[in-house]
Amino acid sequence: MPVPAPALYPPFNIVRLSHVEYRVTDLAASRKFYVEILGLQVTEEDDTHIYLRAMEERGHHCIVLVQSDTAEVGVLGFKLYDAPDLEKAAAFFADKGLPVDWVERPHMGRTLRTRDPWGIPLEFYVKMERMAPIHQEYRLYNGVKPLRIDHFNMFSADVDASVSFYNEIGFRVTEYTEDDESGKVWAAWMHRKGGVHDVAFTNGTGPRLHHSAFWVPTPLNIIDLLDLMSTTGYVDNIERGPGRHGISNAFFLYVRDPDGHRIEIYCSDYQTVDPDHEAIKWSLKDPQRQTLWGAPAPRSWFEEGSTFEGATTQDSALTAQPIIAP
Amino acid sequence: MPVPAPALYPPFNIVRLSHVEYRVTDLAASRKFYVEILGLQVTEEDDTHIYLRAMEERGHHCIVLVQSDTAEVGVLGFKLYDAPDLEKAAAFFADKGLPVDWVERPHMGRTLRTRDPWGIPLEFYVKMERMAPIHQEYRLYNGVKPLRIDHFNMFSADVDASVSFYNEIGFRVTEYTEDDESGKVWAAWMHRKGGVHDVAFTNGTGPRLHHSAFWVPTPLNIIDLLDLMSTTGYVDNIERGPGRHGISNAFFLYVRDPDGHRIEIYCSDYQTVDPDHEAIKWSLKDPQRQTLWGAPAPRSWFEEGSTFEGATTQDSALTAQPIIAP
Amino acid sequence: MPVPAPALYPPFNIVRLSHVEYRVTDLAASRKFYVEILGLQVTEEDDTHIYLRAMEERGHHCIVLVQSDTAEVGVLGFKLYDAPDLEKAAAFFADKGLPVDWVERPHMGRTLRTRDPWGIPLEFYVKMERMAPIHQEYRLYNGVKPLRIDHFNMFSADVDASVSFYNEIGFRVTEYTEDDESGKVWAAWMHRKGGVHDVAFTNGTGPRLHHSAFWVPTPLNIIDLLDLMSTTGYVDNIERGPGRHGISNAFFLYVRDPDGHRIEIYCSDYQTVDPDHEAIKWSLKDPQRQTLWGAPAPRSWFEEGSTFEGATTQDSALTAQPIIAP
Amino acid sequence: MPVPAPALYPPFNIVRLSHVEYRVTDLAASRKFYVEILGLQVTEEDDTHIYLRAMEERGHHCIVLVQSDTAEVGVLGFKLYDAPDLEKAAAFFADKGLPVDWVERPHMGRTLRTRDPWGIPLEFYVKMERMAPIHQEYRLYNGVKPLRIDHFNMFSADVDASVSFYNEIGFRVTEYTEDDESGKVWAAWMHRKGGVHDVAFTNGTGPRLHHSAFWVPTPLNIIDLLDLMSTTGYVDNIERGPGRHGISNAFFLYVRDPDGHRIEIYCSDYQTVDPDHEAIKWSLKDPQRQTLWGAPAPRSWFEEGSTFEGATTQDSALTAQPIIAP
C-alpha cells in the first residue's frame, strides 16, 4: 500500500518539532546524564525543573526535565509558523473531537495543549523566549556536542492510522517499512523541517515514545560519547550502535537515560525540502533497513519505550516481526 | 541599519536554489574537474552539454556545463513549491517591469525565465525530472563526495538594494556584515530552505557570481580534496582555505574551475527554519567574520567573479574595504 | 602470573612483522576484495600470484595471494635489522631443533624459512625490493585507504608457552588477558616496532591465524569501508565492529575475505617504544577488554581461523571461556 | 649532496625524544595555555614549576614549565635504552670535548647533562618515574587531546654539520630539503623512534628551538583547537595552518604560547622503522614541501624561535631563501 499523498496545504503550518518534557525520578542523576555526559546546556533550573538547550538552538529549551514519582513523558512540543496557525490548529483538533486547552507555559507564548487520537500529549506554540547564540562559544562544547533536537520516534499500535493523521497535519513520509505479506506499513518517517523526519512511528504497543534524537556534527562525536560513557560508569546505558541506518542513511547511537528514556545521537541524514520528494520503501525482511551494515537491533530496542502521561497503551494487531538480534 | 523585516507570506513560494548553468571554454577540461576531482555524477552529456548532480540529489541536475566561447554564467535556477507559484512569480516580475519568458528546458517542466533588477538571469520551475536515489551507492562516492548544492553567492554594487529585493521574494537574512561608518550592509546571507543561505550578496562590481557551493559530510572530505587537488595538477586551483567562517560557522574551501568559476566546498552551518530566527550582525572591521581563526582572504577572493550572460556590471559606490591578506 | 620479563638484548633483531602469504581458492574473487574493496595496491601479478602493498609501504609486498586448492596461510614474514641477524636467527632455530632452510623468494634477498615450536611457518629476511613512495599519490587511495600492515593475531593452544617463545626472540608484551581462576594467560599482545603489537596470541585450537591487520588513518575510513561493503555485495563479510577495543584502545573492524581469512582494520593504538613500558593486565571476565563499549564479540570470532600450511592443530586445555554474544 | 649514510650501530642507543624545559615569564598564563587550551595533564606543580604529560604517556613529564625572568629553553631531554648507554653517551661527549655532567633531576634516575657542538643543552636518562595509564580515562581528554610529544625542531646555522652530528649518534634522515644551487641541505628530519622525526634542523640563526610538537588523533582535533583558541582570546596565538606538510605528509598547526614558544600540533605522518628506509629529497624551490596544498609559511615562522639557555647564536651563511608568504 502506498503511503498517503502529501498535504501541500495542511490545515495549519508546523515549522518543526521543538521540545519534550521528560518526567524523571532522580533529577540530580538526570542532570548529570544530560549535562555532563550528553553536553546539553542548562538555561534554567530549580528544585524540580531543568530546562536544557543544544548548542545551536536559540529557543529557550528542547528538553524539560521534571522531578516526578513516575518516569514518563509529559508532552511533545511543536513550533507553529504564525499566530493564526494556533487558531487553525485549535479548530482542527476541536473538529476531530480532541481536547483543546490553552495553557500557561514558562518561557513560551500562547500555547495550545491537545492530544492526538491515541492520546499522545501535544502542545503547539508560535513564540518561545529566544536566547543569545552560543554556537561559537566553543569552550562550552562538551560531551557529544549536541547541536539541536532532531526528531521524536513513537511506538504506534496502528502505524497506518498514525501516518494518516500526521500526514493530514502536514508531515510528509520520506521513508517507510512495509510488511510484505499484509501490505501494512510497519514503520514510517515523516518530516516538516526538511530532514528525514520530525516524527516517526514504529509498530508496537503504543502510544509510547521510542526515543528523542539529537543531531551532532560528525560520527566522531558519537565515538567520543561512547568512549566517555564507557569509562564514566555509563557502559550499561549504551543500548545499540554505533551504526548507519539503512533508513535515513544516518549514523546513529542509542543510549538510555537513568530512567530508561531512550536518546538517539544522530547525524548525516539528507535534505528533503522538495514537495515532490519521493518516499523510499523498505521491506520488513531486509535487515539493512535497520543497520545498513547488517547487524540487527537488540530485543529491548524493539520492545521498550516511555509511556506518555495520561495515555493508555494498546498492543499492535500486526503479527509480522522484525529481525531481532539473538 | 537593521536588515529588512522578513516577508512571512512572500508573493510566491521558493523552495530552494536549484541549479546553475556554467558556460565553459573547454568542456573536456571542465568535465575532468567537476567529475574526477569534485566527484559530481553525470546524469546526461553530449558534445556541448554535461548535466551533473550531487550524491543525495534526486533532481536531474544542479550544474549544467555548456561549451561556449566565453566563460560566464548562463542562469541561476530556483525550485518553486507548486504550479500556481509560477503564475504568481510571473505576475510579480511583470509588475516590476522585469522580463517574463516561458522557456523550454530539457528535463524540466514549465519554466519561467526572467532577470532580477540588476540583470542576473533567473529561472523558476516546479518540476524537474526526478532520478533514482544514489546516496547509498557508496561505490559511486568520489572526490570531495559532494552531497548537494547549497548556495549561490553574488557580487552586488548595491547590497542594500539586493537584500531588499530578495527579501521581498521571501529570502530571510541570517547573518550580515555592516560597514560601521556608513551604516550600509556590506554583505548578507539569505535563506529559503532552512540553512544559513540559498543566496548571499557581497559588495563589489556587480552583478557577478562570486561562487556556487556544495555541501559535504565533514571537514575531512575537504582535506581529502585538498590532498587530491595538490597531487593531480590542481594545486593552483586552490584559492582560499581550509578554514571556518565566522559568518555561518561553516568549514570551507574555495577552489577555481578551469575557467576560473569559483566553487565553495562547505559543511557544518546550522538550522534556520524558525520564522523568528534573528539575524547575526558582524562588523566589516572584524577579521573573524571572514575566518573565525583570523586569517584574511586573498585579494582575488574579493575581486574576481564570473559575469552573467547579458548583464552589464557596475562598480560599487561603497568605499569601505575589508581586510585583505597582504 | 606475571608475563615474562622482556628480553632487552634478544638473540637476533626483528624490526617488524612484514608480510603474509594467503592461499586462496578463487584468485579473481580475492583480487576484487583486496584491491577494489580494501584498496591495497598491486605491485605485481600473474595467473597464480598477486603481490600487494599498502599506501605508505616501500617494501614490495605485505600480502601475497596464491591461487590454491585449499584456503590456508603459507607463511608469516618478518624483517630483520641487519645481515648478521639472519645467521643468528638460523643458529637460534637450529639450536631449538626447529627447521632451518634458506629459500628463494621473488623480490626478497637471502631468506630463512623455519617454523615456531607449534608449526607456524615463519620466514625472516633483511632486504626486500624497495618501491617508490606512493603515500602522496592521493588519486590512488581507495577503499579503506590502508596505510600499512600492523600485526598478526594467532590462536594458540598454549598461550603461556607461545608468549615465552616469542618473548625470547624479542617481542615485548604490552597488554594481556588473564584467566583469574587458573592464573594462566588467555591472550597476549606483543610488539617489536613500537605499537601495541606485531603479534598476538589468543587461546583456542592452534596454531591458526586469527587475523592480519591493516592500519588506517581515522575511524571514518572504517565507516567508509562499512558503507562500501554493505552496498557492493559484501555485507555478509562484515563480522564484528566497528568498536573500540579495551585492549590496545584501538578502533577496529573485522571483515572476512572470500575464503574466510579474517582481516582487521585498525587505528589509534599507542606508542610503546620505551623498554620499560609496563604491560596492562585485563581479566577474562571483563567484557570491556574486548570492546570498551561493552558489546561482546560473536561466536565465530572466537572459534574460526585460518590453518597454516603443514601445521597440525590441537585444542587448548584451558576451559575458561570469554563472554560471547548470544 | 646526499645525506649521510645512517649509523646502524650508533655509539649509544637513544630510544626517543622525551621532554623539554620551557622557561616562562608568567607561569599562571602558561598553565592556562598548556592545560586549559592544549589539554596537557598536570602531574606535579608548585610555585615555580609545572610538570605536564600527554594522554598516552606513562613517563612523569614531557614538558616542564619553569617561572623565569627570561623566556628561553632550559634543556631538551632524550630517553636512552639501557644503563650502559648512559656511560657510552658520557664517553662519546667527553671524547668530543663537550661537557659531561651528572645532574639530579626530580622524578628521573641518573641523568647526563651535556651540550651539542653548537651549545644546545641536552640531557639523557634511562629511567623516569612511571605514571598510571590515563589514555582510557576519557573524561580527562580536553583541548586538542594531545597524545604524546612527537619531535623537536631546531634552527641551525649549519644544517649539514648538525645532520652529521646527530646522524653519528643514531638519528636517521627521513626527508630533507636541498638548496639546488649550493647543494647544501637546507633542512632535515631525523628519527629514532620510527616516525618521520624525533629532531629536525632548519636553516637559520641558531641554535634556537623552532618548535616542539604534539601528536593528536585526527585532523578534527586540530580543527577543534582552532575553534577553541579563536573564541577564548587566543586568536593571535595561531601562527600557521591548518595544512598538510609535503615533507612528512603530516597534518599540522603551529601556535605560540604566551611567551612565544612555538608548539606544533601534528598527526598522520608515517612509519619509518626499516633500517633501509630511504630519505626523500625536496627542492627548496618547491612550495609544496612546506604545505602540500601550496600556501607558503609566514615570515615569523621562518625567523622567530626560542633561544637555549647558555647558547650563543650565530647567523647562517646560507643565502638561499625559501618562499615566504607576502
Side-chain angles (χ1 to χ4, degrees), chain B residues 70-110:
Chain B
T70 308
E72 60 185 359
V73 176
V75 74
L76 303 181
F78 294 83
K79 182 176 177 79
L80 301 186
Y81 190 71
D82 195 9
D85 291 305
L86 271 174
E87 308 309 322
K88 294 176 190 169
F92 174 87
F93 282 93
D95 195 50
K96 297 274 187 189
L98 295 165
V100 169
D101 295 296
W102 299 99
V103 293
E104 293 294 318
R105 288 283 177 268
H107 310 289
M108 290 166 58
R110 185 166 160 79

Side-chain angles (χ1 to χ4, degrees), chain B residues 6-304:
Chain B
L8 275 183
Y9 301 98
F12 55 100
N13 189 346
I14 300 171
V15 175
R16 59 172 175 90
L17 91 159
S18 162
H19 59 275
V20 53
E21 180 193 303
Y22 278 122
R23 300 186 179 178
V24 300
T25 60
D26 180 342
L27 192 61
S30 294
R31 187 189 199 283
K32 190 174 172 199
F33 178 80
Y34 285 97
V35 175
E36 293 181 27
I37 301 300
L38 293 191
L40 290 162
Q41 302 292 310
V42 175
T43 48
E44 187 174 300
E45 61 185 324
D46 60 26
D47 288 354
T48 56
H49 292 70
I50 301 175
Y51 293 85
L52 301 167
R53 71 162 159 160
M55 300 310 297
E56 75 175 43
E57 291 175 336
R58 310 252 184 107
H60 184 270
H61 55 269
C62 60
I63 290 189
V64 189
L65 301 174
V66 183
Q67 174 68 48
S68 307
D69 293 334
T70 308
E72 60 185 359
V73 176
V75 74
L76 303 181
F78 294 83
K79 182 176 177 79
L80 301 186
Y81 190 71
D82 195 9
D85 291 305
L86 271 174
E87 308 309 322
K88 294 176 190 169
F92 174 87
F93 282 93
D95 195 50
K96 297 274 187 189
L98 295 165
V100 169
D101 295 296
W102 299 99
V103 293
E104 293 294 318
R105 288 283 177 268
H107 310 289
M108 290 166 58
R110 185 166 160 79
T111 302
L112 167 65
R113 163 86 185 209
T114 182
R115 289 182 187 267
D116 83 357
W118 301 273
I120 296 180
L122 304 173
E123 64 189 24
F124 297 97
Y125 71 92
V126 173
K127 294 290 180 191
M128 181 188 278
E129 184 181 335
R130 305 291 288 182
M131 310 290 288
I134 52 171
H135 65 281
Q136 292 184 323
E137 295 194 31
Y138 281 101
R139 73 192 155 75
L140 298 180
Y141 281 74
N142 193 24
V144 77
K145 302 185 177 175
L147 295 185
R148 56 180 180 269
I149 195 167
D150 189 84
H151 62 261
F152 300 131
N153 186 310
M154 289 155 272
F155 281 115
S156 167
D158 185 346
V159 173
D160 276 318
S162 292
V163 168
S164 287
F165 179 80
Y166 282 85
N167 185 272
E168 192 177 352
I169 59 175
F171 291 87
R172 169 186 300 274
V173 175
T174 55
E175 307 206 20
Y176 64 107
T177 302
E178 196 170 281
D179 169 24
D180 301 329
E181 290 168 33
S182 67
K184 286 191 170 291
V185 172
W186 202 88
W189 286 255
M190 308 179 77
H191 87 95
R192 283 297 301 168
K193 68 182 179 305
V196 169
H197 54 321
D198 289 75
V199 297
F201 298 92
T202 302
N203 179 64
T205 300
R208 289 180 300 157
L209 183 62
H210 188 277
H211 65 262
S212 303
F214 284 85
W215 181 276
V216 294
T218 79
L220 292 184
N221 299 102
I222 288 177
I223 293 168
D224 285 346
L225 178 65
L226 282 156
D227 290 334
L228 181 65
M229 289 182 66
S230 297
T231 55
T232 51
Y234 290 96
V235 70
D236 293 337
N237 296 57
I238 300 169
E239 185 184 33
R240 178 187 172 197
R244 184 181 303 287
H245 287 307
I247 291 169
S248 80
N249 201 40
F251 192 84
F252 69 85
L253 173 72
Y254 293 91
V255 298
R256 306 293 290 267
D257 87 355
D259 284 291
H261 297 308
R262 186 182 288 109
I263 300 291
E264 182 180 15
I265 313 298
Y266 181 95
C267 66
S268 356
D269 73 353
Y270 55 87
Q271 181 178 293
T272 64
V273 291
D274 289 1
D276 51 357
H277 190 88
E278 303 87 346
I280 297 174
K281 174 177 156 179
W282 297 78
S283 164
L284 184 58
K285 291 184 177 145
D286 179 357
Q288 290 195 275
R289 79 172 204 289
Q290 297 178 13
T291 307
L292 189 66
W293 309 333
R299 181 167 297 276
S300 65
W301 193 87
F302 286 106
E303 297 188 348
E304 299 176 11

